Amino acid sequence: MTRPHPVPGTPAADIPLSRTPLDVLRAQVTACLGEAARSWLALALDEAAARSGAHGPISVWELRLAEAGRRCGTDHADAVRVLILHAAHAGPDALTRVYRQGTAAERRAVLHALPHLVAGPDALPLVEDALRTNDTSLVAAAVGPYAARHLDAHNWRHAVLKCLFTGVPVDEVADLRHRARADTELARMLDDYAAERAAAGRPVPEDLYRVLALTATEAKES
């Protein structure tokens, strides 16, 4: 089993083969919380599981998403929200509602939760919306495993460029090495962007050269 794309606010840990990434995420979060926060999280997950599949105009678990930062601290709120969304088995409709109506932090949690909850491309409009913003935390969340799995080549290349435009580290781009392999169009776009920056007397992001080298190296290896 491979290590999942990390959710900010959780410590790194190896994942035993007998446990799912979300099992490990819950253990990591619980270990970091105080007694009151652990009790609140356990109750919130039970409530979400009890309401699984019964999504009305607004569910109890959706209210818990809004409380997560206050109850568990901002450092762990993203991970807590992912766990609640998973316990509720939130589908594309519920995820879209939370994303559209929620705060930036709740939107970020939805994006982190997508690879755990949506098997197909149904939630791509949420990723595309996040990539249109200038909120770097949303952009970083949008280029995770779900985008790596479902964004087509054209939109994925532009997502990489969006990271360079906004200063989001390309380390946030899931499956970058694999998707950049032998991608001559991505290399051309990177060359053009570097030339534009140089002509304007602006520095070229170091990450651009990292991605460009990836495309060249992978092309040779293949």
Side-chain angles (χ1 to χ4, degrees), residues 2-213:
T2 58
R3 185 187 300 276
H5 201 64
V7 174
T10 60
D14 291 330
I15 299 175
L17 292 177
S18 60
R19 304 177 72 190
T20 69
L22 284 163
D23 289 336
V24 175
L25 180 62
R26 181 172 181 176
Q28 290 173 345
V29 172
T30 301
C32 295
L33 298 178
E35 183 176 351
R38 285 198 302 270
S39 297
W40 179 88
L41 176 58
L43 176 61
L45 294 178
D46 287 346
E47 289 173 338
R51 294 289 297 169
S52 175
H55 307 304
I58 190 165
S59 301
V60 173
W61 62 265
E62 293 180 60
L63 298 176
R64 298 294 176 246
L65 294 175
E67 298 177 15
R70 177 167 56 86
R71 296 285 191 169
C72 299
T74 55
D75 287 346
H76 308 299
D78 277 13
V80 166
R81 292 186 179 107
V82 169
L83 291 170
I84 293 172
L85 288 166
H86 184 262
H89 295 285
D93 289 345
L95 291 167
T96 298
R97 182 172 66 245
V98 171
Y99 183 92
R100 298 296 181 194
Q101 299 177 0
T103 63
E106 289 163 28
R107 291 181 177 190
R108 187 169 61 242
V110 168
L111 295 167
H112 283 307
L114 290 181
H116 304 293
L117 292 171
V118 184
D122 296 357
L124 271 178
L126 305 184
V127 171
E128 292 163 354
D129 180 84
L131 289 171
R132 286 191 293 270
T133 73
N134 289 318
D135 183 328
T136 55
S137 71
L138 288 180
V139 173
V143 293
Y146 188 82
R149 191 181 306 154
H150 295 295
L151 272 182
D152 62 30
H154 174 79
N155 287 313
W156 183 81
R157 293 180 190 117
H158 281 279
V160 173
L161 285 176
K162 180 74 175 196
C163 289
L164 297 174
F165 295 155
T166 57
V168 171
V170 294
D171 287 338
E172 299 290 344
V173 181
D175 211 14
L176 176 63
R177 178 177 294 275
H178 172 74
R179 291 211 56 169
R181 178 183 300 159
D183 192 335
T184 56
E185 177 60 15
L186 177 59
R188 183 195 66 76
M189 293 168 69
L190 293 170
D191 279 334
D192 287 349
Y193 179 52
E196 291 173 7
R197 299 281 296 184
R202 297 176 180 175
V204 178
E206 189 64 32
D207 271 358
L208 184 147
Y209 295 115
R210 289 182 57 201
V211 180
L212 193 58

